[in-house]
Every structure is written in C-alpha cells, then in structure tokens.
Amino acid sequence: MRKTIFTAIFAAVAAVQAGASSFHLFDNMTYYLRFGYGIGGTAPMGMPATIRSMDSFKPTANFTLGLGLHRAITGHWGLSSGLYLENKGMDVDATVKNYRMAMVQGGQSIEGNFTGGVAIDVEQWMLTLPLLATYSINGKWSVHAGPYFSYVKSPKFTGYAYDGYIRVGDPTGAKVDVGSDEGSRGTYDFSDDMRSWQFGMMVGADWRFYKQWGAFVDLTVGMSQIFHGDFDTIEQDLYPIYGTIGISYKL
C-alpha cells in the first residue's frame, strides 16, 4: 500500500510539472521536499468526566513525507500547497467510568456503560493536501496557515477493555465482569466506521538555515471527527491533533 502511495505522489508531481510547463500556471513556483516527525493523538475536544485518567500514552512512528509548493504573490504574501504522505497514530491506556462502549467477549457482542481500563490503538495512513496562505517575515523566516484535506487510505481503531465491568444497555443494566486475560477481556474494532476523508486547520513556520536547507514546525487540528456521523458507539467525537517538526530541501 505504501509503495502505491509513493508512486501516486511522484506521478502527481510529474503531472503538475508538465502542466506548469505547458500553461505557465505555476511560474515562479518554488518546490520543496519535506520530511517530518509528528507527535499527538486522537482525542475529544476537552476531557470528558467519563475518562478518569490517562495511564499511558505511546506515540507511534508518525512520519510526513512529500513535496511542498510555494509561490510568492505580492510583497510578503504568498500561497503554499503540496502533497504529503502521513501517518497519524497512537497507543493509549486509560481508566474510564460509565464510558459508552461496545465489545466482543467470548464470541458475544456486548454494548453498554463500561468501567475499568481501556487500551486503544489508532493508525491512519493518509494523503494530505494543504492550502495555505504564507507571510514571509524576512529572508529566512515565514509563517503559514490554512485548511488541509486528507484521504485516509488505511484507517485502524482497535483495542480492548479489561479489569472492570460493563452494564449492558444502560448504567442500571445487567453487570458483566470483564477480566484482564485474552479469554475474559472485551475486544473491539471500529476501523470500518472511520471516515475516508478528513479536513482541518494547519498553522506553522518555516526557517531557512543554510542555502537550500530549512526546518519547519506545523500544528494540525482536525475539524471533522474521525468516525462517520452516524457512529455513536463511542460517546465522544474524536479529532486528530498533531504537531510536526521536520526538515525541508529546496529543489
């Protein structure tokens, strides 16, 4: 899958360059290769009372690789875009109380309010297109902001509930104990309920420190939750919020 995405990136770059040569649509365009490492998570906007504590957080290898484009418009202002291959993932362990959940235990599907520990594994490989306004502070520093749009090729949202109990149906329903070993804990997989298209906002800065070489920092905040609108198994809407730091090379 990753080989296919890399092929798509370079095919798109070739098509853009061919179009620019034929129609002069991108005169005075500057091209950059960008490579970054991100850290963040997929979380609700504000911590709900049903999540009592975040016991562990392990970021996965969240890399960004792609081609950036920039064109000066007038004075200090310009426009920036590109096409990036990204991964946004995390492993989280949390303690919850009366948290709305659905799980499979011993081959049986159960849904209700869970109290205990929850382990979550999220991974999203995506192609991202940013559309940014830029402001050049001087010859070395610039800032940028604007929306981004992502196509999620390979979504994953899996995990398990353990060391607790679930009240089936509602908080006063039948109590089912949930253990800690593979036979007694409850597993879940909501990957098929995730959106293929996402959008959000990006802000950041670029610093050219040596000839063609530069560094950048970005913050992206998802404006569309990761699940489809009709998905209500998890009570909170979840959004990807990530920071990325990396290097760039001017072509």
Side-chain angles (χ1 to χ4, degrees):
M1 185 274 292
R2 297 177 194 177
K3 182 178 179 181
T4 301
I5 293 178
F6 277 113
T7 302
I9 290 176
F10 289 112
V13 171
V16 168
Q17 290 176 328
S21 299
S22 300
F23 301 104
H24 307 287
L25 295 177
F26 299 120
D27 289 347
N28 302 318
M29 185 73 73
T30 305
Y31 298 84
Y32 297 88
L33 290 177
R34 295 168 72 89
F35 176 78
Y37 180 82
I39 185 170
T42 301
M45 295 294 187
M47 193 63 70
T50 51
I51 301 178
R52 293 307 176 96
S53 64
M54 194 71 67
D55 302 322
S56 70
F57 173 80
K58 179 184 178 183
T60 57
N62 300 315
F63 294 109
T64 297
L65 174 65
L67 179 78
L69 317 173
H70 179 264
R71 182 179 182 182
I73 300 300
T74 177
H76 295 275
W77 293 96
L79 295 174
S80 180
S81 186
L83 188 63
Y84 306 132
L85 170 65
E86 297 184 293
N87 180 42
K88 294 181 178 179
M90 66 173 188
D91 291 327
V92 170
D93 204 309
T95 298
V96 301
K97 184 174 182 179
N98 290 326
Y99 190 77
R100 189 71 184 175
M101 280 288 297
M103 64 186 73
V104 176
Q105 184 190 49
Q108 181 180 2
S109 297
I110 307 171
E111 185 169 352
N113 291 69
F114 176 72
T115 297
V118 176
I120 303 171
D121 181 10
V122 180
E123 184 177 66
Q124 300 181 90
W125 283 98
M126 61 186 69
L127 284 172
T128 295
L129 174 72
L131 299 173
L132 310 173
T134 66
Y135 183 82
S136 178
I137 299 172
N138 51 43
K140 293 184 178 294
W141 286 94
S142 65
V143 293
H144 54 260
Y148 71 85
F149 303 88
S150 296
Y151 172 69
V152 184
K153 173 64 177 176
S154 178
K156 176 185 177 184
F157 194 105
T158 61
Y160 56 89
Y162 65 97
D163 280 348
Y165 62 88
I166 185 170
R167 293 284 186 177
V168 180
D170 57 56
T172 62
K175 181 180 178 180
V176 177
D177 290 328
V178 179
S180 58
D181 57 56
E182 291 189 10
S184 61
R185 69 191 185 191
T187 63
Y188 58 87
D189 185 346
F190 303 138
S191 304
D192 291 339
D193 299 295
M194 299 177 73
R195 295 178 184 269
S196 296
W197 293 95
Q198 297 180 7
F199 71 93
M201 295 298 296
M202 175 187 292
V203 296
D206 285 272
W207 172 45
R208 184 173 61 84
F209 59 82
Y210 180 73
K211 295 183 178 180
Q212 282 89 359
W213 291 96
F216 68 90
V217 59
D218 288 326
L219 173 66
T220 58
V221 179
M223 305 302 290
S224 57
Q225 65 153 319
I226 65 171
F227 293 111
H228 296 298
D230 57 356
F231 178 77
D232 58 2
T233 303
I234 295 178
E235 60 188 57
Q236 292 90 19
D237 293 340
L238 302 178
Y239 302 88
I241 304 170
Y242 282 82
T244 301
I245 186 169
I247 58 174
S248 62
Y249 181 81
K250 181 180 176 182
L251 299 177

